[in-house]
Amino acid sequence: MASAGIVWRGDFETGDRSQYSSTQMVSSDRLQVVTSPVAEGKYALKATVRQGDDPINSSGNRNELVYLGREASGSEYYYRWKVMFPADYPSVDTWQLFTQWHHDGCCGSPPVEFYVRGEEIRLSLPGTGEVPWKTKLVRGVWHEFILHAKWHADPKVGFVELWHNQKLVLPKRGAITMYSGQKNYLKLGLYRNDTVKPVGVVYHDGFVQATTLADVLPPVTQPPPPPPVDAGTPPPVDAGSPGEEEPVEVDAGSPEEEEPGEADAGVPPVVEEPEPGPTMPGSSAPPQGMPSEDVLNSEVGCSTGGSSLAAFALLGLLGVMRVRRRRS
């Protein structure tokens, strides 16, 4: 989505020259929209000039695009565009303009112009006769320019500011950026001294005009997120074979303890009463399976008269018999 601060685009992404107001060229092959090389998007402009190309019967040779932006006095804009000079670009000790803001009067040098002279790229302000910035001409690479200008005939009001390859190379400074009573418009392509004989080619791409610096800066590409950190594979948990259970040790206790499952702790054992055996009427014999009183007396060392002692002995004997029966 275009920003509200963008005023105009001349980036050739329409695939033709329709973004511009008009052309000054001797033939259509001098200003071609091409797909390679490009600085951004899909298209760029290839401007070619041969000695003798003079489409408007003026000084010098040229093939240029014109955009009638008609910048008024006091207006202020940012402009960004990219230019590439191929490896065989001519090196001559004279001027070869590739971008200019021209006045709408009939004659004279434009108030702001970018050109090559010899092995240098220069910014010139003919209104004050200054060349406030220049750099080495590097061929075969894209040069990005951002010009911040306030258009005015008074150098105390008008100014220029320049970035080259996203580096501020000319801090804001006062300048005569337009001629009194006139407006400015853009010319893009190649315009050079008619003494230059070799064929000259310049590529242009990505031109945009806006009211803020942020709107002309190229989009910032975010770095891809780092790959996830491999924390390692957790060791497998051996759940054992299905149906297997670890053996559980059972404390069988000491030989004197009761066997498990035979008695509930805290519940007294059931005492089974012996069934009475058959007796004869009037007989005083003890029930079958019980020792006689004489036997009991002899085992505990008491006489038959010691009935109380015999009773205690009998109870002890009964307890021993019950224990033996439970362990049988």
Side-chain angles (χ1 to χ4, degrees):
M1 183 178 294
S3 168
I6 294 178
V7 176
W8 173 72
R9 287 187 183 275
D11 55 8
F12 309 105
E13 290 307 298
T14 56
D16 53 26
R17 300 185 296 263
S18 62
Q19 294 167 309
Y20 290 79
S21 306
S22 62
T23 62
Q24 294 177 348
M25 62 184 181
V26 296
S27 61
S28 59
D29 66 334
R30 301 295 205 269
L31 295 175
Q32 293 178 300
V33 176
V34 297
T35 56
S36 180
V38 297
E40 55 188 61
K42 296 181 179 180
Y43 302 100
L45 176 74
K46 178 183 179 182
T48 304
V49 172
R50 298 178 181 273
Q51 190 176 32
D53 288 351
D54 188 5
I56 61 172
N57 262 339
S58 180
S59 62
N61 296 157
R62 77 182 76 210
N63 291 293
E64 295 179 291
L65 288 174
V66 176
Y67 174 64
L68 298 175
R70 296 187 174 90
E71 280 84 343
S73 178
S75 61
E76 180 180 343
Y77 297 106
Y78 289 84
Y79 306 87
R80 178 180 69 90
W81 74 106
K82 297 180 180 181
V83 183
M84 186 176 74
F85 305 92
D88 59 353
Y89 187 80
S91 178
V92 291
D93 190 20
T94 189
W95 51 272
Q96 302 182 80
L97 274 70
F98 57 88
T99 307
Q100 57 176 312
W101 277 265
H102 205 284
H103 52 291
D104 58 7
C106 70
C107 309
S109 297
V112 177
E113 58 186 18
F114 287 81
Y115 66 96
V116 171
R117 188 179 188 106
E119 292 298 305
E120 289 183 344
I121 300 174
R122 298 180 178 183
L123 164 64
S124 176
L125 303 172
T128 57
E130 295 180 277
V131 178
W133 173 81
K134 59 185 177 181
T135 191
K136 180 182 178 181
L137 171 62
V138 180
R139 294 171 173 83
V141 300
W142 288 97
H143 296 263
E144 182 188 72
F145 300 93
I146 297 176
L147 174 68
H148 179 202
K150 185 167 185 176
W151 305 109
H152 207 278
D154 185 349
K156 295 180 181 179
V157 179
F159 63 77
V160 292
E161 187 177 22
L162 180 66
W163 287 260
H164 178 239
N165 294 336
Q166 300 189 16
K167 180 181 179 182
L168 181 64
V169 292
L170 180 64
K172 185 186 297 184
R173 55 164 296 164
I176 297 174
T177 54
M178 71 188 318
Y179 300 135
S180 181
Q182 301 185 34
K183 294 182 180 180
N184 289 348
Y185 65 93
L186 173 69
K187 300 187 75 175
L188 194 76
L190 183 57
Y191 167 46
R192 67 186 193 180
N193 192 310
D194 57 13
T195 63
V196 181
K197 294 181 180 180
V199 176
V201 174
V202 178
Y203 294 93
H204 293 265
D205 200 0
F207 201 103
V208 60
Q209 174 185 355
T211 56
T212 68
L213 177 62
D215 287 320
V216 300
L217 290 176
V220 176
T221 303
Q222 296 294 335
V229 178
D230 186 2
T233 305
V237 178
D238 186 3
S241 302
E244 286 187 359
E245 294 184 1
E246 294 186 4
V248 179
E249 290 189 9
V250 178
D251 186 3
S254 60
E256 290 77 17
E257 293 178 352
E258 295 182 358
E259 294 183 5
E262 288 204 306
D264 190 2
V267 179
V270 177
V271 178
E272 297 182 1
E273 295 290 340
E275 295 180 1
T279 59
M280 293 298 289
S283 173
S284 60
Q288 186 176 358
M290 294 290 293
S292 64
E293 185 177 355
D294 293 338
V295 173
L296 291 174
N297 289 338
S298 64
E299 287 183 356
V300 296
C302 296
S303 65
T304 56
S307 59
S308 299
L309 184 58
F312 283 110
L314 178 62
L315 291 175
L317 180 61
L318 289 173
V320 170
M321 291 176 65
R322 283 195 296 269
V323 170
R324 287 179 179 175
R325 184 182 295 120
R326 292 177 59 187
R327 293 189 178 276
S328 62

